[in-house]
Amino acid sequence: MVNVLLVPYSGGIHAKDEPKLLGCTENELGLRKWLESQGHKLTTTDQKDGSKFESLLEDAEIVITTPFHPAYLTRERLLKAKNLKLCVTAGVGSDHVNLDTANELKIGVLEVTGSNVTSVAEHAVMTMLVLVRNFVPAHDQVREGKWDVAAVAKDEYDIEGKVIATVGGGRIGTRILERVKPFNPKELLYFDYQSLSADREKEIGCRRVEKLEDMLGQADIVTINTPFYDSTKGMFNKELISKMKRGAWLINTARGSICVKEDIAAALKSGQLRGYGGDVWFPQPAPANHPWRTMTNKYGAGNAMVPHMSGTSLDAQG
Amino acid sequence: MVNVLLVPYSGGIHAKDEPKLLGCTENELGLRKWLESQGHKLTTTDQKDGSKFESLLEDAEIVITTPFHPAYLTRERLLKAKNLKLCVTAGVGSDHVNLDTANELKIGVLEVTGSNVTSVAEHAVMTMLVLVRNFVPAHDQVREGKWDVAAVAKDEYDIEGKVIATVGGGRIGTRILERVKPFNPKELLYFDYQSLSADREKEIGCRRVEKLEDMLGQADIVTINTPFYDSTKGMFNKELISKMKRGAWLINTARGSICVKEDIAAALKSGQLRGYGGDVWFPQPAPANHPWRTMTNKYGAGNAMVPHMSGTSLDAQG
């Protein structure tokens, strides 16, 4: 018998509304029946902090959590989890696990690589369009009974003719470039330590830029699609943002901590960034006072943040 | 000397914020200097109703207005406009002019065909993504200090794998299909009286459906890209909407009156439509009590309406 601890988000009434919502406490990724038929024990909770969680963790041999509502498996917690053999991410990205400690303790870390790359790529393209076309304040006008086209048109652009760049040319970054190509961007750029093959570059119609700063200086729209490593933590800080083209849009659907939150908010306020959007935060859930909830540009716009949801669409769960 | 009457939206403080906002009363489409140098007279107003406008119209030889804030040139008004020779639309679509009467009175009607097809196509794709990926309630959570992934994920889908259909296979309809193709839809369909060439169909990867009802019965996402004619007025009524696949999304960036507003709101409420969005209304500006401002699906979502702005981005004005 294996003791499995599952920590997804709570579905509440929404789990009843939509039984296909698998990744929640109620539907348990569809695992209970199978696990129990195999003689294993499944404990499920959305409480990922406090003494109850810590005591469950001490009993667990396998812990499964999601990037949308991650149980943070810090060094302290891993050291106390004497029975733990495996940390599974139901999704992509295991940065909520202290990987060095897991390695030291010989605890395995698995994720469902590639499971939701399409959903994330779609979300990034949506965010690009929402920011560049100034959707949010326009929809607000509708709900507030207003009609002031000039107020939104003054900050409304097309993505056609723009230079679009991805930091990271992996599965998600290249999918984003492929999806924006028929919008006739001026150029598609990517920065990665590894080159794509010449054939793949030709197929996508993109060009690699050797130095990140050089790419950022040319791009109107930048999308972040790099894993979260020590080397990418806090990468987009004041210094790097200052190398971007003034008034660019920045989209981050990778991990919140790749950007320094206060520096992003300040750049939006100053006009260095025209907009920022995505679905990743640190920590998650984002506290009510997280600056990305309320930050805007000088027009009170330019914010397209949502909770971490881009990999948990019903189609991505299916 | 020609007497020109220009009726765009007012820019207010926004015209000062952004001098590239050409299509407003302050910047007058950049026409004043040139018109006056040629000895003509330009009168500009955003007041498109009331006795002042009607008296200006009686003096005008040319009237220029925009789809975003249209001066409605009804039969009554055209009959009184004794000097009028030409109605110009600074944009696409002249349905604000009574074309039969204009024809009878030998008043010319011109528009800037093709001027903003890209901007409209981008807007339609954005609206599709915003609806299917359930952006609006998710962004609301951010602003309201909330974090409830299940509440938005239960109604969040990918456009990958969906059947996407356009009513109208003209310049905008085909541009939309081209832009969604790399998202790997299950199928791209179009309905039009005229077929595209076999080569063009192959290039886009789309298939014509002979009967509108047949197409609507297969499509998960429907986008309306047909001109406003007598034959398309009120086309999407209760009867036609009932032929759509249950729970489909409908996007309309063509003209508001192609859809019956009460029938759209009722279909959203009943679940026949999962979402509706776009930027066209009748009349414009939309009154504060227009049902499309507040209509939602059973989850309080599924509305992606904005004021008429998709053809007036700064790039489309340039």
Side-chain angles (χ1 to χ4, degrees):
Chain A
M1 189 202 78
V2 176
N3 228 333
V4 180
L5 174 61
L6 173 63
V7 196
Y9 52 76
S10 161
I13 56 161
H14 313 300
K16 281 177 209 129
D17 284 345
E18 181 47 74
K20 284 187 284 175
L21 192 70
L22 286 181
C24 60
T25 50
E26 290 78 0
N27 296 328
E28 300 179 310
L29 296 167
L31 287 175
R32 179 168 295 278
K33 209 170 158 184
W34 179 77
L35 278 175
E36 291 182 346
S37 77
Q38 304 295 309
H40 304 306
K41 187 182 164 200
L42 177 65
T43 309
T44 301
T45 180
D46 68 341
Q47 299 300 310
K48 59 194 187 68
D49 289 295
S51 58
K52 191 189 154 203
F53 171 70
E54 308 224 334
S55 104
L56 287 172
L57 190 61
E58 282 175 41
D59 293 336
E61 287 155 274
I62 297 178
V63 59
I64 306 175
T65 186
T66 73
F68 317 108
H69 180 85
Y72 291 105
L73 301 173
T74 58
R75 178 169 177 78
E76 295 66 38
R77 284 177 170 173
L78 290 175
L79 287 170
K80 282 197 266 176
K82 296 296 180 198
N83 297 297
L84 195 60
K85 293 181 189 68
L86 188 62
C87 303
V88 179
T89 307
V92 175
S94 298
D95 48 283
H96 54 282
V97 184
N98 185 321
L99 297 177
D100 291 337
T101 305
N103 202 28
E104 176 191 328
L105 301 174
K106 302 199 187 323
I107 297 171
V109 180
L110 286 182
E111 56 185 76
V112 194
T113 306
S115 60
N116 51 16
V117 290
T118 291
S119 179
V120 177
E122 284 194 13
H123 195 95
V125 177
M126 174 192 74
T127 305
M128 221 175 264
L129 285 162
V130 161
L131 287 174
V132 173
R133 306 200 63 81
N134 209 15
F135 173 80
V136 171
H139 185 61
D140 284 345
Q141 282 191 16
V142 165
R143 297 194 283 192
E144 291 163 6
K146 294 180 187 161
W147 185 279
D148 185 352
V149 175
V152 285
K154 72 175 174 185
D155 202 21
E156 180 196 2
Y157 298 83
D158 300 340
I159 68 173
E160 178 172 86
K162 301 292 179 292
V163 176
I164 304 180
T166 172
V167 182
R171 275 171 299 196
I172 296 177
T174 53
R175 272 178 175 72
I176 293 170
L177 297 184
E178 287 175 321
R179 280 160 178 71
V180 296
K181 188 183 177 187
F183 288 85
N184 300 319
K186 187 172 173 194
E187 211 175 0
L188 294 176
L189 306 176
Y190 75 101
F191 169 77
D192 206 314
Y193 297 102
Q194 223 175 338
S195 276
L196 297 168
S197 71
D199 281 356
R200 189 80 179 107
E201 283 191 357
K202 200 176 160 192
E203 187 186 21
I204 300 175
C206 63
R207 177 168 69 81
R208 179 166 176 250
V209 184
E210 285 268 352
K211 283 186 65 182
L212 176 59
E213 288 77 1
D214 290 347
M215 183 178 81
L216 298 179
Q218 301 169 53
D220 300 296
I221 304 171
V222 175
T223 158
I224 303 175
N225 302 288
T226 174
F228 181 76
Y229 292 138
D230 281 345
S231 62
T232 58
K233 185 176 175 181
M235 184 186 196
F236 275 81
N237 56 15
K238 195 181 167 179
E239 169 67 14
L240 191 66
I241 296 168
S242 77
K243 303 289 168 56
M244 294 177 71
K245 198 170 161 181
R246 188 167 173 82
W249 293 273
L250 182 59
I251 290 102
N252 179 11
T253 48
R255 281 298 178 262
S257 301
I258 294 172
C259 296
V260 177
K261 57 180 187 290
E262 297 79 8
D263 293 357
I264 294 290
L268 201 54
K269 197 174 173 190
S270 77
Q272 175 61 12
L273 288 178
R274 196 183 298 277
Y276 181 89
D279 68 330
V280 287
W281 308 68
F282 185 83
Q284 290 181 180
N289 67 352
H290 194 295
W292 292 358
R293 287 185 180 272
T294 48
M295 65 181 180
T296 62
N297 65 19
K298 64 175 174 177
Y299 295 143
N303 180 323
M305 291 303 301
V306 294
H308 196 166
M309 66 188 283
S310 73
T312 187
S313 68
L314 294 173
D315 292 314
Q317 293 187 35
Chain B
M1 190 203 76
V2 176
N3 228 332
V4 179
L5 175 60
L6 173 63
V7 196
Y9 53 75
S10 163
I13 56 159
H14 313 299
K16 281 175 208 130
D17 284 345
E18 182 47 73
K20 283 187 285 176
L21 193 71
L22 286 179
C24 60
T25 51
E26 290 79 0
N27 296 328
E28 300 179 311
L29 297 167
L31 287 175
R32 179 168 296 277
K33 209 170 158 184
W34 179 78
L35 279 175
E36 290 182 347
S37 76
Q38 305 293 309
H40 305 308
K41 187 183 164 199
L42 177 64
T43 308
T44 301
T45 180
D46 67 341
Q47 299 301 309
K48 59 194 188 67
D49 290 295
S51 58
K52 191 189 154 203
F53 171 70
E54 308 225 332
S55 104
L56 288 172
L57 190 61
E58 281 176 41
D59 292 335
E61 287 155 275
I62 298 177
V63 60
I64 307 175
T65 186
T66 74
F68 317 108
H69 179 85
Y72 291 105
L73 301 173
T74 59
R75 178 168 176 81
E76 296 65 37
R77 284 176 170 174
L78 290 175
L79 286 169
K80 282 197 265 178
K82 296 295 180 199
N83 297 296
L84 195 61
K85 292 180 189 69
L86 190 61
C87 304
V88 178
T89 308
V92 174
S94 298
D95 48 283
H96 54 281
V97 183
N98 184 320
L99 296 177
D100 292 336
T101 306
N103 201 27
E104 174 189 329
L105 300 175
K106 302 200 189 322
I107 297 170
V109 180
L110 286 183
E111 58 183 76
V112 194
T113 306
S115 59
N116 51 16
V117 290
T118 291
S119 180
V120 177
E122 283 194 13
H123 195 95
V125 178
M126 174 192 73
T127 305
M128 220 176 264
L129 285 162
V130 161
L131 287 174
V132 173
R133 305 198 65 80
N134 208 17
F135 173 80
V136 170
H139 185 61
D140 284 346
Q141 282 191 17
V142 165
R143 297 195 282 193
E144 291 163 6
K146 294 179 187 161
W147 184 280
D148 185 352
V149 175
V152 286
K154 73 175 174 186
D155 202 21
E156 180 197 3
Y157 297 83
D158 300 340
I159 67 174
E160 178 171 87
K162 301 292 179 291
V163 176
I164 305 179
T166 171
V167 182
R171 276 170 298 194
I172 296 177
T174 52
R175 272 177 175 72
I176 293 170
L177 296 185
E178 288 174 321
R179 279 159 178 72
V180 297
K181 188 184 178 188
F183 288 85
N184 300 320
K186 186 174 174 193
E187 210 174 0
L188 293 176
L189 306 176
Y190 75 101
F191 169 78
D192 206 315
Y193 297 102
Q194 225 175 336
S195 276
L196 298 168
S197 70
D199 281 354
R200 189 79 179 106
E201 282 190 357
K202 200 176 161 192
E203 186 185 23
I204 299 176
C206 63
R207 178 169 68 83
R208 179 166 176 252
V209 184
E210 285 269 352
K211 282 187 68 181
L212 177 59
E213 288 79 0
D214 290 345
M215 183 178 81
L216 297 180
Q218 301 169 54
D220 300 296
I221 304 171
V222 175
T223 157
I224 303 176
N225 302 287
T226 175
F228 181 76
Y229 293 137
D230 280 346
S231 61
T232 58
K233 184 176 176 179
M235 183 186 197
F236 275 81
N237 56 16
K238 194 180 168 181
E239 170 68 14
L240 191 66
I241 296 168
S242 77
K243 304 289 168 57
M244 294 177 72
K245 198 170 160 180
R246 187 165 174 84
W249 294 272
L250 182 59
I251 290 103
N252 179 11
T253 48
R255 281 298 179 262
S257 301
I258 294 172
C259 296
V260 177
K261 57 182 187 290
E262 297 80 7
D263 293 357
I264 295 289
L268 202 55
K269 197 174 173 190
S270 76
Q272 176 61 13
L273 287 178
R274 196 183 299 276
Y276 181 88
D279 68 330
V280 288
W281 308 69
F282 184 83
Q284 291 183 181
N289 67 354
H290 194 294
W292 293 359
R293 288 185 178 273
T294 48
M295 66 182 179
T296 62
N297 63 20
K298 65 175 172 175
Y299 295 143
N303 180 323
M305 292 302 301
V306 294
H308 197 167
M309 66 188 284
S310 74
T312 187
S313 67
L314 294 173
D315 292 314
Q317 294 187 33

